[in-house]
Amino acid sequence: DTYGRWNFSVGVTQPGGAEEWRAVFAGSPLPKFQWVHIAGVYDASSGLRLYRDGVEVASTPFTSQALSPATQTPLLIGRANG
């Protein structure tokens, strides 16, 4: 995002066809010039979770039915949409 935080976002299609983003943001930027392992996890019963080097660093509660792929939302890895 504009503050340098990293995130895990998923585009979802809601009943009725409307598409929206659900996201979880880390509290701080990733270090420069250092390898890190990052992972984002979605679980229908608990929401979105964000991990750095195997440690959970952020979560966003999100309960819903199973996600439906958003057909008009692009897949972005390693960059911001904008």
Side-chain angles (χ1 to χ4, degrees):
D1 71 357
T2 58
Y3 302 104
R5 299 176 303 167
W6 50 288
N7 71 78
F8 172 53
S9 304
V10 292
V12 298
T13 302
Q14 296 296 323
E19 294 184 359
E20 65 182 23
W21 287 103
R22 297 290 182 142
V24 58
F25 289 86
S28 61
L30 292 171
K32 293 182 180 181
F33 311 112
Q34 179 181 340
W35 282 101
V36 294
H37 177 263
I38 59 172
V41 175
Y42 166 75
D43 183 306
S45 64
S46 62
L48 298 173
R49 294 187 311 274
L50 197 55
Y51 293 86
R52 177 179 163 191
D53 295 325
V55 177
E56 185 176 317
V57 296
S59 64
T60 298
F62 176 131
T63 55
S64 71
Q65 299 173 350
L67 292 178
S68 298
T71 58
Q72 300 301 312
T73 305
L75 172 64
L76 304 173
I77 299 174
R79 73 173 290 270
N81 187 16

